[in-house]
Amino acid sequence: MPTPSMEDYIEQIYMLIEDKGYARVSDIAEALSVHPSSVTKMVQKLDKDEYLIYEKYRGLVLTTKGKKIGKRLVFRHDLLEQFMKLIGVDDDKIYNDVEGIEHHLSWNAIDRIGDLVQYFEEDNSRITELRDVQKRNEE
């Protein structure tokens, strides 16, 4: 299992490849606000653990294992953002809140959050009722 730090790198690499078709060390460093030397070290570790294939000066590609995990990590992040928005967390707080909790939840908890999001989205009156409860609690 990848560590939380490894997950951040895999997720970012996956998103860069999806968006641009490639991920360079400099792109990863910029996206994660870290030094390129830190990216190189992590990429070498991810290569050793078979999440990606890295050739110095030639770039990197995710392995099947890396793509599968990357896709799941992006799904987790997007689902948690969706959940935070649904429950009424202020937009300017959502990203940091998700970053703060995403590595600390089990996949079982993620699945249950997905169920809850689905439950609310299947019937908009449920979201309206939640907003009513929130308004009453703020008074």
Side-chain angles (χ1 to χ4, degrees), residues 2-4 20 24 38 56 106 110:
T3 64
K20 297 170 76 170
R24 297 179 308 201
S38 299
K56 195 171 184 179
S106 69
I110 296 297

Side-chain angles (χ1 to χ4, degrees), residues 2 5-24 28 32 39 42-55 58-74:
S5 180
M6 292 167 75
E7 286 183 348
D8 286 339
Y9 278 84
I10 294 168
E11 180 181 6
Q12 192 59 57
I13 291 166
Y14 180 87
M15 289 190 307
L16 284 167
I17 291 172
E18 285 292 303
D19 292 345
K20 297 170 76 170
Y22 61 89
R24 297 179 308 201
I28 300 164
L32 294 174
V39 174
M42 180 58 81
V43 164
Q44 289 169 340
K45 178 164 182 37
L46 293 171
D47 180 44
K48 181 176 156 275
D49 291 349
E50 301 179 346
Y51 293 106
L52 55 81
I53 298 167
Y54 173 66
E55 293 180 29
R58 298 196 77 207
L60 55 92
V61 292
L62 288 170
T63 61
T64 301
K65 173 182 171 181
K67 285 179 192 173
K68 182 179 178 183
I69 290 174
K71 185 175 184 174
R72 192 155 192 212
L73 295 172
V74 169

Side-chain angles (χ1 to χ4, degrees), residues 115-127:
D115 296 341
L116 190 58
V117 168
Q118 180 182 347
Y119 171 79
F120 277 99
E121 289 183 341
E122 284 179 349
D123 183 346
N124 280 340
S125 69
R126 296 170 183 157
I127 296 171

